[in-house]
Amino acid sequence: MISKVRSHVTQNEPLLFELSSPGKKAYQLPELDVPPVNASKALGAEHVRREIEGFPEVSEVEAIRHFTRLSTWNYAIDLGLYPLGSCTMKYNPRLNEAVARIDGLAWAHPYQPEALSQGAMEIMGALERALLEITGMDAVTLQPAAGAHGELTGILLVRAYLESLGNPRKKILIPDSAHGTNPATAAIAGYAVENIKSNDRGMIDLELLARVVDEDVAALMITNPNTLGVFEEQIARIAEIVHSKGAQVYMDGANMNALVGITRPGDFGMDVMHLNLHKTFSTPHGGGGPGSGPVAVKKHLEPFLPLPRLTAGESGQRFDYDRPRAIGRVKAFYGNFGVIVRALAYIMAHGGEGLRNATMDAVLNANYIRKKLEDYYELPHRAPSMHECVFSDARQAKQGVRTMDIAKRLIDYGFHPYTVSFPLIVHGALMIEPTETESKRELDLFVEALIAIAKEVEEDPETVLKAPHGTRTGRVDEVTAARKPVLRWKPAD
Amino acid sequence: LRYLPKSDSERREMLEACGVSALDDLFSHLPPDVRLNRPLALADGQSEYEISAYFRAQADQNANGYASFLGAGVYNHYRPVLVDAVVSRGEFLTSYTPYQAEISQGTLTTIFEFQTMICQLTGMEVANASMYCGSTAVPEAGMMAARITGRNRLLVARSLHPEYREVLRTYARYQGMVIEEFGYAAGHGTVDLDDLDRRLDDKTAAVVLQSPNFFGIVENLDAAAELAHRKGALLIDVFTEAVSLGLLEPPRQADIIAGEMQSFAISPSYGGPYAGVIATREKYIRQMPGRLAGETKDSHGNRAYCLTLSTREQHIRREKATSNICTNQALIALMATVFMTVYGKQGLRELAEQNLAKAHYLASRLPVKFTGPFFNEFVAAFPGKSPETINGMLLDKKIIGGLSLGRYYPELKDCMVLCATEMNTREQMDVFAEVLAQ
């Protein structure tokens, strides 16, 4: 009855520290070709440690088996659909991994002479140009390390710009559907946060917006499509309202996978935005990073972009440090170059038409899931879906089954759950983003699983409430973990 | 379009199910005036072969086949092959933040091991599961100190990496935080404790210093900690060269440690991605930013791990969170975890001893600027010559020399910071010395 998975033996594995035995090694260094130095003499005995207490001592075979066994306890895109809403868990092409490991790129030191870094700088320039074409913006920095870091950079740019006009202003408007990083970012940039309520279609309420935008507002942070997967149809009007009071519009580009090749933020009035290379541009999520969060801006914000700026000079590319109005640095060096390489490889593989086709397939997949499931799950907002769709657990809640329970049961059917209980404006949300890199077969299996669960909820809710049943690890006690934190291994007394 | 796994007939079937006749109909609700009515002006999609060739050609425009003595926050260490064998596994590479603990025990367990090893290395009680890099870990540590002490002033050593100081200033500006720098002892190269003492006051949240510092010199943390603590300030110790912890006494005197893990099997990659880390005392956990994995039990009573103390984080606390960080550097932290496993207790020490020996060999043949104890980096001074001239002569011998310090320290304009690791041979160092002798 469950089509995608069957039960499978997995191996137990202790922690590294429990595997250790004194004297075991997984390394061999070359013989030292210079005279040895007495550490106590060179550094002072008080600076030299006796040993690294508790550090692992294992053999090479045990090391590789350890990590391989642990790896089998993870779900991953390589195993199937990973429909986390707003995370854009698309296939990570292996070509990107290969090119990022080419010696001349992977082993380039950030301080090697610019004349010996022209290839790396050309790659950065090529990605900058592609991102400008995709977003319709005027300038871009590749320095930020992830989406939230890009948000901070973007809001600092807004602040520096408004300051240059004489008043940095006091607050940032954020819709109640926004990612948590938006308000956290505004706070770090020294702004007060004012939440604005979405209308009953899950969109920004224009009348409300017009009422709250005033000369104290520095910016509106908006996600488009928003976290319901809905395109803000009045986006141009929203930008007008915000601009009419001299404020800026920041666009969180987390959902850019719905827009590439179809519409451009620069063409609908956005002043500044970030992109997530690890979402839209396929670089691997790696269990939680690394990411990369380039920030693209309109011309008026360009003088404030972080140092240094890549510029094409007569004798090749160089970094310009002479930028007196820049907000400074947001990170050492030039950005997550290894991620930049991967994103460019992805863009080159698709080309302009291919990127547009990818967007269309992403939207098709989300709409297909929506259509197939709307008879079984409550769809709280009926506006057309872009790249993701959001259901609620309203029907299942009548049987005492909540979105988290359905998510856990989905694991038994061989899928990673959707994003649970977000956005906050939908009570008991199931936020599903399939991405374009899923086959019809995989989508059909997923739909079949969620329909089967909806039936289980009616006939046998206990099975769902106690899920997952088929995993090597049962439901994890997160309450105890937080109440009595154990955050490192310690030897038994 | 090899990344799109659908046939045309499947697409048609799906469109039909959606009740539309063409893909474009899915976008008919978008206002026409915001639609892009032309194809993106990007080159056509290319084959795997062509893309590989492009990147190889770019790599050829970079330095190739050069020996290098660059350090200054990014170090050239051997990368055991096991590292890529592990991080290339799709289960680690293509998963995300382990919110669903039941199917993420692999990532969660490795994070728990990472946290433990960072504690063992640093002598701290807790460590987070990574920050973006060392340079952003420092302002996060500074903001953490401000929350703990309720104070807003940071005293920062000039011998902290100059780019880290720039990042700190960017972050601090709108936090109502005051950044003031204190100097280094001109002869010894360690922090100027008298200058620090003079500047410390009861508004100081923390003293921030780096050890080994930007000049490679090992700091006297006892003295700095004592001065800071006497005024109720915290000590934040920063490290950029993690290999030094294989040999150096753990910085237990510090209250918060902000470090860069790049040395642990993370390739230099022209400046990133790297992984930062924050470690601290247990009593400060709730003020610490970043993800944490904790031990607990599952419904069968077996040991299990999950993300924990997330009430500190932005997805729960929003504008009241300890940081806005979300995606961090999990896969990079895994590289460091595999590295620490491969070298282990004996190997990390032996590696550190080799680094010490190599750097001291190179230093024995060059004019060393400071008298303080150094690990694998040191400052060389060439009075009357410009470091650029020397580096130019070295380039002719296929050697990349050190980082010129004039840009960051006008008073050290005839100096460069040099690094020697296990990757540098005696032969390379002899050539270096010969070039200087010319």
Side-chain angles (χ1 to χ4, degrees), chain B residues 41-113:
Chain B
L42 298 171
D44 289 343
Q46 296 177 50
S47 68
E48 200 170 304
Y49 176 86
E50 292 163 299
I51 295 168
S52 289
Y54 167 82
F55 283 101
R56 274 198 306 275
Q58 297 311 323
D60 287 344
Q61 302 300 307
N62 286 346
N64 280 293
Y66 284 77
S68 170
F69 292 95
L70 283 171
V74 181
Y75 303 93
N76 187 20
H77 291 295
Y78 182 73
R79 233 176 141 244
V81 294
L82 237 55
V83 173
D84 267 348
V86 171
V87 301
S88 299
R89 283 194 66 91
E91 298 91 331
F92 286 129
L93 184 74
T94 75
S95 53
Y96 200 18
T97 308
Y99 296 118
Q100 299 292 339
E102 295 84 357
I103 47 171
S104 308
Q105 287 296 306
T107 294
L108 286 162
T109 307
T110 62
I111 291 175
F112 189 77
E113 291 177 332

Side-chain angles (χ1 to χ4, degrees), chain B residues 10 28-29 45 49 60 63 71 77 80 98 123 127 161 174 190 194 205 211 227 277 287 347 368-369 387 395:
Chain B
E10 284 173 330
S28 57
H29 60 287
Y49 176 86
D60 287 344
H77 291 295
H161 195 299
Y174 305 113
T190 49
D194 294 333
S211 183
L227 291 178
V277 68
Q287 296 303 333
V368 178
K369 170 83 178 168
L395 284 175

Side-chain angles (χ1 to χ4, degrees), chain A residues 411-426:
Chain A
I411 295 172
D412 285 331
Y413 282 81
F415 292 97
H416 193 282
Y418 44 79
T419 294
V420 177
S421 302
F422 186 85
L424 303 175
I425 57 169
V426 173

